[in-house]
Amino acid sequence: MGLSAVRPFLAFALMAAVLLSPAFAQQASPQKQPAVKDYYQRSLATYEFRKAAQSGPERGREIFYYKCWFCHNEFTKNAPQLAGLYQRGTLLSGLPVNDGTVKDRIRNGGAGMAAYKYTLSEEDLNDLVSFVREKCCWDSDAPPLNPRYQAH
Ligand code: HEC
């Protein structure tokens, strides 16, 4: 057999080697790596409502301001005031006020209130409810201090 006769086989072997090589396989179907998050990137903190805090009631306040305050504000008569909700004891529905019933109200909404079960995660709800329980509500005359510049 001359060289010209084996050439197609050599070409085929070379292609097979490339296609079957681990490097090619990885490139063809890249493993999904979880994105590395960098919270010094301000856009990420903005996007995830983490400008004020990573978690807890201060993060809840931030979510509240963007997602709830435009209805539940101190000036409105169209939505219930949430300040002192936990002291009041019962929701308008008659259910007792606790983290579970308040989270359900936020998840499912109500007459005149949007439902948030698809837009807020369990972590978001926990932070939000801790704000409603401990620090509610937003005070338009005293917005939170800049967390990056607080005199001590
Ligand atoms: C579009 C206006 C609107 C938005 C936005 C809204 N709410 Fe409401 N919310 C209402 C209205 C109106 C009610 C009363 C509904 C009812 O009783 O059926 C209510 C009821 C509630 C209640 C029950 C109060 C009670 O005394 O029974 C809670 C808790 C609550 N909202 C929390 C939130 C939170 C937290 C958010 C933000 C994630 C939010 N709401 C966003 C309008 C709104």
Side-chain angles (χ1 to χ4, degrees), residues 49 52-65 123-138 144:
F49 302 108
Q54 278 294 311
S55 63
E58 285 307 320
R59 176 166 185 262
R61 186 196 302 278
E62 191 172 327
I63 298 174
F64 187 88
Y65 179 63
E123 191 194 1
D124 297 337
L125 286 176
N126 285 336
D127 292 344
L128 195 49
V129 160
S130 74
F131 167 71
V132 174
R133 181 177 4 93
E134 294 167 24
K135 300 195 165 178
C136 193
C137 268
W138 184 270

Side-chain angles (χ1 to χ4, degrees), residues 51-95:
K51 293 190 295 297
Q54 278 294 311
S55 63
E58 285 307 320
R59 176 166 185 262
R61 186 196 302 278
E62 191 172 327
I63 298 174
F64 187 88
Y65 179 63
Y66 288 109
K67 298 216 177 256
C68 320
W69 178 84
F70 57 91
C71 283
H72 291 282
N73 56 63
E74 55 271 57
F75 313 110
T76 189
K77 304 234 180 317
N78 299 325
Q81 293 290 325
L82 298 182
L85 179 70
Y86 276 70
Q87 285 69 45
R88 216 179 300 154
T90 50
L91 293 171
L92 292 174
S93 64
L95 290 174

Side-chain angles (χ1 to χ4, degrees), residues 7-152:
R7 201 174 279 150
F9 296 105
L10 284 175
F12 178 79
L14 189 66
M15 267 169 58
V18 169
L19 290 174
L20 297 175
S21 74
F24 184 85
Q26 214 174 19
Q27 215 182 4
S29 60
Q31 292 285 306
K32 253 215 171 313
Q33 296 286 334
V36 178
K37 291 187 174 186
D38 174 6
Y39 284 102
Y40 285 108
Q41 188 182 327
R42 291 298 289 274
S43 57
L44 179 61
T46 303
Y47 186 70
E48 291 192 353
F49 302 108
R50 293 185 209 270
K51 293 190 295 297
Q54 278 294 311
S55 63
E58 285 307 320
R59 176 166 185 262
R61 186 196 302 278
E62 191 172 327
I63 298 174
F64 187 88
Y65 179 63
Y66 288 109
K67 298 216 177 256
C68 320
W69 178 84
F70 57 91
C71 283
H72 291 282
N73 56 63
E74 55 271 57
F75 313 110
T76 189
K77 304 234 180 317
N78 299 325
Q81 293 290 325
L82 298 182
L85 179 70
Y86 276 70
Q87 285 69 45
R88 216 179 300 154
T90 50
L91 293 171
L92 292 174
S93 64
L95 290 174
V97 176
N98 56 49
D99 289 358
T101 55
V102 172
K103 275 198 229 174
D104 274 346
R105 169 55 87 221
I106 301 169
R107 284 191 194 104
N108 300 321
M113 172 169 160
Y116 290 87
K117 61 182 158 194
Y118 299 119
T119 51
L120 293 176
S121 68
E122 192 59 25
E123 191 194 1
D124 297 337
L125 286 176
N126 285 336
D127 292 344
L128 195 49
V129 160
S130 74
F131 167 71
V132 174
R133 181 177 4 93
E134 294 167 24
K135 300 195 165 178
C136 193
C137 268
W138 184 270
D139 179 354
S140 297
D141 293 326
L145 301 173
N146 180 350
R148 288 181 164 73
Y149 183 75
Q150 283 187 16
H152 290 286

